[in-house]
């Protein structure tokens, strides 16, 4: 049994990026933890109805996966660029030290949403072997509506070097994604069921399975 930590800038990134893989980890006996880098509060510009809906969605998603634990940091969505880097690193470090994960899943740094870059940079700082010796594997996931819309001219694009067969878990991934009622819509919306299935089919075809999720493996220690 291994401890696994998925770090997401926002709720739904975990399901879009690696939901099937997380379900597979849990089915194989691993304990999966979820750290959400931002929150929705009135101070962040959200009304009470939206806050309550989002909190219920997060709790329902947590229960649907069977995560060992989850936590969200008290930073506003879209405003991580205003958070001092050392503050963000310290908050993530505190949870990493608490969980002591063997495997970590992080967002792609060049996603179009700037929150993703800030979460990636701060999280990578929490993978140094001399401070976090238990972190043996670090993988970067792709997020529909974020990764494919990145337009940095110096970005080589998301080029996976690791694939996970999620054929047995794909339908459950879709069921969980539908919990986020405000985040999924009809095709051609990028987070539609059609788009999620198309990407999983494409990634699966690369390795000879019905459905797969792909990653960039940036650290793997034996």
């Amino acid at each position: 049994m291994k401890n696994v930590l998925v770090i997401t800038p926002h709720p739904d990134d975990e399901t879009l990026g690696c939901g099937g893989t997380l379900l597979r980890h849990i089915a194989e006996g691993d304990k999966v933890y979820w750290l959400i880098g931002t929150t929705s509060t009135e101070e962040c510009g959200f009304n009470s109805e939206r806050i309550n809906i989002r909190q219920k969605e997060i709790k329902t998603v947590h229960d649907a996966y069977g995560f060992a634990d989850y936590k969200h940091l008290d930073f506003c969505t879209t405003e991580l660029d205003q958070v001092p880097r050392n503050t963000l690193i310290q908050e993530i470090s505190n949870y990493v030290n608490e969980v002591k994960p063997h495997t970590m899943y992080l967002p792609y740094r060049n996603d179009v949403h700037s929150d993703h870059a800030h979460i990636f940079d701060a999280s990578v700082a929490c993978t140094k072997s001399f401070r976090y010796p238990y972190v043996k594997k670090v993988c970067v996931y792709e997020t529909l509506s974020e990764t494919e819309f990145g337009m940095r001219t110096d970005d080589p694009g998301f080029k996976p070097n690791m694939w996970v067969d999620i054929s047995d878990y794909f339908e459950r991934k879709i069921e969980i994604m539908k919990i986020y009622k405000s985040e999924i819509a009809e095709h051609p919306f990028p987070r539609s069921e059609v788009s999620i299935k198309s990407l999983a089919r494409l990634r699966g075809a690369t390795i000879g399975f019905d459905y797969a999720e792909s990653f960039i493996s940036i650290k793997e220690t034996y």
Side-chain angles (χ1 to χ4, degrees):
M1 183 188 75
K2 298 182 179 69
N3 285 356
V4 175
L5 174 60
V6 56
I7 302 180
T8 67
H10 320 103
D12 83 358
D13 294 330
E14 79 296 329
T15 301
L16 290 169
C18 49
T21 301
L22 300 178
L23 288 166
R24 179 168 174 166
H25 272 294
I26 292 167
E28 293 175 353
D30 295 334
K31 295 178 69 174
V32 177
Y33 297 81
W34 179 23
L35 179 62
I36 308 166
T38 59
T39 190
S40 301
T41 64
E42 291 183 359
E43 291 76 14
C44 296
F46 296 89
N47 61 43
S48 58
E49 180 182 6
R50 181 61 187 138
I51 293 168
N52 290 334
I53 290 172
R54 179 43 59 96
Q55 291 305 314
K56 288 179 181 177
E57 288 175 344
I58 292 172
K59 181 62 166 61
T60 303
V61 167
H62 165 270
D63 294 343
Y65 276 106
F67 289 150
D69 183 42
Y70 79 95
K71 177 179 181 178
H72 55 77
L73 304 181
D74 295 326
F75 303 119
C76 293
T77 297
T78 74
E79 296 184 10
L80 287 181
D81 60 327
Q82 301 176 37
V83 178
R85 178 66 59 83
N86 62 333
T87 300
L88 184 55
I89 291 173
Q90 188 59 60
E91 289 293 321
I92 293 175
S93 176
N94 290 343
Y95 197 66
V96 170
N97 277 319
E98 180 181 334
V99 170
K100 292 181 169 52
H102 170 279
T103 302
M104 292 173 58
Y105 291 97
L106 311 178
Y108 182 54
R109 193 188 189 284
N110 291 325
D111 286 349
V112 70
H113 200 310
S114 61
D115 282 353
H116 289 227
H118 293 294
I119 289 295
F120 175 86
D121 288 343
S123 299
V124 164
C126 301
T127 66
K128 297 177 181 178
S129 59
F130 59 91
R131 288 191 178 139
Y132 310 89
Y134 36 79
V135 178
K136 303 298 183 183
K137 188 172 183 179
V138 181
C139 305
V140 174
Y141 55 83
E142 57 184 331
T143 307
L144 271 173
S145 80
E146 303 292 354
T147 306
E148 76 274 22
F149 283 102
M151 293 187 180
R152 287 181 48 170
T153 56
D154 60 340
D155 177 19
F158 187 87
K159 298 185 181 303
N161 56 13
M162 172 186 156
W163 290 259
V164 177
D165 177 16
I166 62 164
S167 302
D168 293 338
Y169 308 100
F170 179 75
E171 294 303 327
R172 183 59 174 158
K173 167 175 172 159
I174 292 294
E175 291 174 4
I176 294 174
M177 186 60 204
K178 288 179 178 179
I179 294 171
Y180 296 111
K181 296 186 185 302
S182 64
E183 303 296 340
I184 189 168
E186 294 300 315
H187 186 72
F189 188 67
R191 292 191 297 274
S192 69
E193 182 175 347
V194 171
S195 298
I196 296 169
K197 179 175 285 189
S198 296
L199 180 60
R201 283 280 197 190
L202 175 64
R203 297 311 189 193
T206 304
I207 55 172
F209 293 109
D210 287 336
Y211 299 102
E213 288 170 340
S214 66
F215 304 88
I216 301 174
S217 176
I218 59 175
K219 177 179 180 179
E220 192 158 4
T221 306
Y222 292 94

